[in-house]
Structures are given as C-alpha cells and as structure tokens.
Amino acid sequence: MTKRLDCAGKLLDLSLPQVMGILNTTPDSFSDGGVFFSPDAAINQARHMFQAGAAIVDVGGESTRPGAQPVPLQEELDRVIPVVEGLHAELPVIVSIDTSKPEVMREAVKAGAGMINDVTALRQDGAIAVAAECNVPVCLMHMQGQPRIMQKQPRYHDVVGEVTAFLRSRINACLGAGIRREQLLLDPGFGFGKTLAHNLQLLNRLPDITVLGFPVLVGVSRKSMLGTLLDERPVQGRLYGSITAATVAAWLGASVVRAHDVGPTVDALKIAAAVKQIE
Ligand code: YH5
C-alpha cells in the first residue's frame, strides 16, 4: 500500500497512523457548541491542532450530524473558503475540505486544500468529475440514507459485507473517472446510518476494510456510540472513550483517525504505533 500521499504538494506520511483534526465552521455544531465560526477563531483553533501534532485539519461548513438540514452553497463557501485560504497560507498542515458539494470542492482546492473528505463518497451530481480535476486524495465514506433520516431505522443483512461492497463500487466509479488508485482513502462511516451493534461490528472487523488495500480513515470522536456505551454520557464526557476507540482503530489498521481532541489522540496513536512496529 502507498505510504505517502501527495496532497497538492504537501506529503502525508502514512507509515504511522496520523490524526486529522476536526474544524467545524458551522454555528450549529453541537459538539463544539458553535465556538469556532469566525475565520480567525477557526484558524486559531487549527493552529493549536497543528502544534498538537495533527497532520491534517478537516474544514467543514455543512453539519452532517443526525437530523441536520442541508446548508445552501453560498453559505458553505462563505464559511469554509476564508478558513482554507488562511490555513494554507500560514501552516504547513494538510487542509482537508469536508463537503459533498462539487463547487465547494473546486473552490477549496483552488484556495489550497490538499484533500477532499466527502461523507457521500462523491455521489452528488458532478462530484466525481470535479474531484478528478482537483487531483487531490479523496476519502470515500459509507453512509446509509441521508443525514436527516439516517438514524431512524438503520438496517443491514450483513453490515461489513454491505459497507465493503459499497466502498468497492465507489472505488470503481472513481477509477473510471480518472481518479488514481493512490489517491483514495476509505471510511466505514461510524454513526452514519448505523446502530451501536453495526458500529461495533465495523470496528471489530476493520481489517476486512484494510484488506482492500487503501488507507482507512476512522471517525469515532465524541460520537453517540461512545455516549451509549458509557451510559448515555453527554458529549463533553466522551474524551477517554474517544481516545480508546481511536487507539483500537489504529491497532486494527486505521491509517488516519479523525478527532476533536488532537493532543491526546496523537499521544495514544504514538503508543499504539510503537507497540505495533515490533511485529
Ligand atoms: C467520519 O466519521 N464524521 S461529521 C456526531 C457526534 C460527534 C461527532 C456528538 N465527518 C465523519 O464528527 N468524515 C463526520 O456526536 C466525517 N468520517 C469522515 N470521513 C460527524 C461527527 C460527529 C457526529
């Protein structure tokens, strides 16, 4: 498998698991309480993530939490583009754009983004073609349903089989559109149209996804699955659960872990990587 990804000139070293810091620019983000929605505040937050060891900062302007409503294009552009520009100008960190909209992908990559993170795996009209033009790595994530309704009644016969089949079909669509194999990352999409049991099965069987031969990205930070496992613990009490889940994911082969709490996650992944390297 490729150990180094070219992210628009910035190199992502995947010989060790890396942390992608989460930077929300959505005023309605309930996990961060909407604290970071001025570009300056967002850039400041990203600075701290970089200092804490994040290899990537994931900039998102569209809330994808369960029940969320879609954000209009211009509003999303207004939120994310100044942040992408500012970050790219100031820090050597790789900027990822968390969006499903092809127009946002194009503008963000023009503004310096080196990765596309799309929870809809480039299924929106025109997204595959734009991503191919952008010529940056793309994370393809699995989701059942749409954010507004995805947690209503998630159903699978075989969650691992269905998620891997979906990812394979998106890989093929991307290769067919001229995106290079070396530019793809895969993500089972924890919490996106999945019950706790589905999420646990996917994490337990992460190696079934890594065998596809692509770097795997895992996002479990602060998610409901942790709240449920910890007796309905609210979001602010999920740090240790998040670190543990991130560590398990890295141990099972995840190459990138998406996290709110960058410093603690970086520490945990260093320990996991050191133990793993003995093998
Ligand atoms: C992901 O897994 N997730 S946005 C609900 C929460 C906490 C956090 C409090 N974008 C992923 O982070 N991109 C999101 O409960 C993502 N993989 C990738 N690639 C949801 C989120 C969250 C939701």
Side-chain angles (χ1 to χ4, degrees):
M1 198 205 298
T2 326
K3 292 269 154 110
R4 262 162 141 215
L5 290 190
D6 182 349
C7 301
K10 294 175 180 169
L11 292 183
L12 177 62
D13 174 11
L14 294 181
S15 61
L16 296 171
Q18 299 286 358
V19 174
M20 167 189 268
I22 302 172
L23 193 66
N24 280 315
T25 65
T26 50
D28 62 341
S29 161
F30 75 107
S31 176
D32 291 325
V35 181
F36 304 110
F37 59 87
S38 85
D40 282 351
I43 290 164
N44 198 37
Q45 166 72 352
R47 235 177 247 134
H48 287 112
M49 289 179 175
F50 174 70
Q51 282 159 6
I56 310 164
V57 172
D58 191 36
V59 179
E62 181 184 40
S63 178
T64 42
R65 68 183 161 96
Q69 298 293 327
V71 175
L73 171 62
Q74 194 56 50
E75 199 173 323
E76 193 177 335
L77 287 169
D78 292 345
R79 286 180 193 170
V80 299
I81 300 303
V83 176
V84 172
E85 267 173 2
L87 283 183
H88 178 64
E90 187 190 331
L91 298 173
V93 77
I94 294 161
V95 182
S96 157
I97 181 70
D98 183 349
T99 189
S100 300
K101 296 187 180 75
E103 299 87 348
V104 178
M105 294 172 189
R106 185 186 283 123
E107 293 309 311
V109 171
K110 267 196 227 160
M115 183 180 287
I116 294 170
N117 174 29
D118 180 7
V119 298
T120 69
L122 305 180
R123 282 179 292 166
Q124 212 175 87
D125 277 351
I128 285 212
V130 168
E133 279 170 36
C134 287
N135 195 29
V136 296
V138 182
C139 179
L140 303 172
M141 198 196 80
H142 174 271
M143 164 163 46
Q144 184 180 82
Q146 295 161 3
R148 205 168 45 78
I149 52 151
M150 66 188 176
Q151 289 307 102
K152 289 239 154 92
Q153 217 169 42
R155 243 175 243 264
Y156 300 85
H157 291 290
D158 164 11
V159 65
V160 177
E162 290 172 43
V163 167
T164 50
F166 170 84
L167 292 173
R168 282 176 193 278
S169 87
R170 298 312 298 158
I171 291 164
N172 288 331
C174 288
L175 297 178
I179 298 175
R180 280 178 289 119
R181 177 169 287 278
E182 304 74 49
Q183 291 180 309
L184 295 175
L185 298 95
L186 306 179
D187 184 339
F190 290 96
F192 285 85
K194 283 140 193 128
T195 64
L196 173 61
H198 296 140
N199 289 317
L200 290 175
Q201 239 172 85
L202 282 167
L203 185 53
N204 179 268
R205 292 189 41 201
L206 204 65
D208 287 28
I209 301 173
T210 60
V211 294
L212 298 178
F214 297 85
V216 169
L217 189 152
V218 161
V220 284
S221 184
R222 298 184 187 174
K223 283 188 179 173
S224 304
M225 59 183 286
L226 306 176
T228 306
L229 288 171
L230 300 173
D231 300 316
E232 307 305 330
R233 191 79 58 80
V235 134
Q236 324 82 266
R238 298 178 188 170
L239 174 62
Y240 304 134
S242 298
I243 301 308
T244 309
T247 308
V248 170
W251 185 257
L252 292 175
S255 294
V256 181
V257 172
R258 188 174 175 275
H260 297 87
D261 305 285
V262 171
T265 310
V266 167
D267 283 3
L269 297 197
K270 276 187 186 158
I271 308 303
V275 179
K276 231 175 140 60
Q277 269 192 335
I278 305 287
E279 289 170 359

